[in-house]
Amino acid sequence: MKNRIPGIVYVGTKTEMQWLQSRLDEFGFASAVVEIDRDSVPVGADLPIKPD
């Protein structure tokens, strides 16, 4: 994941990403939760995305 910074690091539900953002904030890391298009996910990324 570190190699994807800056950029899309992880994909999940809005609730999952808000939780992750809160955890990162606790450790002093700045982050943002944004909605992305499925086509924006890096090729070969091991991310939890539902198949079509």
Side-chain angles (χ1 to χ4, degrees), residues 9-20:
V9 176
Y10 201 78
V11 175
T13 67
K14 184 176 181 179
T15 301
E16 291 169 331
M17 296 303 94
Q18 288 173 331
W19 175 84
L20 180 56

Side-chain angles (χ1 to χ4, degrees), residues 28-46:
F29 294 98
S31 64
V33 175
V34 296
E35 188 173 341
I36 62 166
D37 184 277
R38 179 184 172 107
D39 295 333
S40 299
V41 177
V43 175
D46 184 22

